[in-house]
Amino acid sequence: QLEKQLATLSSELSATRARSVHLEQALNQRAHLQSVMMASDARMMHLKPLAPAPGARAMVAMSPARRSAVIQAAGLPPTPRGKAYEMWWITERRGPVPAGVFHAETGREVIARIDPPPAGERLLMAAVTLEPAAGVPKPTGPTYLKAPVPAR
């Protein structure tokens, strides 16, 4: 009976450790989001949902001086196996430039670091598509969120 209790406690400890790691990562992501949002040169933009996810919403915070950007999203469908959501900067010269990949879970908000917009490029738009898990150099999947880049 003691061995059974020990096995149960060991399993519970492993699950608690995994939750602790997840919470620490979430806390670090929130802290980074807050630091970017509080930067003196912070710019924000709100991405609007498109047909594949009508209840989705997202906000992107970026700081050119810190060369940092973060996306916060909610309401996206859970990421299918073998796929990832990919953030894009749509530029005037180069077209779509990948900014990073992230995953969504049911009922959970996503906060993910992304690459800042390319320096020296005029930004036209930002978008989120569903792509293969490793990401792709140019969008191939459906667009879930999109917004024009606000004028400075």
Side-chain angles (χ1 to χ4, degrees), residues 5-132:
Q5 278 184 316
L6 182 59
T8 299
L9 289 173
S10 178
S11 176
E12 289 174 1
L13 179 60
S14 292
T16 300
R17 284 183 177 149
R19 279 193 303 275
S20 175
V21 166
H22 179 74
L23 289 172
E24 184 177 359
Q25 289 170 343
L27 183 59
N28 288 339
Q29 291 167 336
R30 277 203 182 281
H32 183 69
L33 172 65
Q34 184 176 4
S35 75
V36 173
M37 290 175 67
M38 296 300 292
S40 61
D41 67 333
R43 293 174 54 198
M44 316 293 176
M45 60 188 304
H46 294 276
L47 282 72
K48 306 293 186 218
L50 297 175
R57 62 197 182 285
M59 184 269 307
V60 173
M62 56 191 133
S63 167
R66 293 182 184 202
R67 295 289 304 142
S68 192
V70 180
I71 184 169
Q72 179 180 24
L76 286 166
T79 310
R81 178 174 293 235
K83 299 285 188 176
Y85 288 102
E86 189 160 4
M87 170 77 190
W88 301 93
W89 300 115
I90 313 301
T91 67
E92 187 174 60
R93 260 192 354 221
R94 293 171 44 196
V97 176
V101 297
F102 61 92
H103 295 84
E105 297 177 30
T106 302
R108 290 190 183 236
E109 171 184 84
V110 175
I111 299 174
R113 293 175 190 234
I114 55 175
D115 293 336
E121 286 277 351
R122 181 169 174 259
L123 288 180
L124 304 175
M125 187 172 296
V128 172
T129 61
L130 186 64
E131 304 294 349

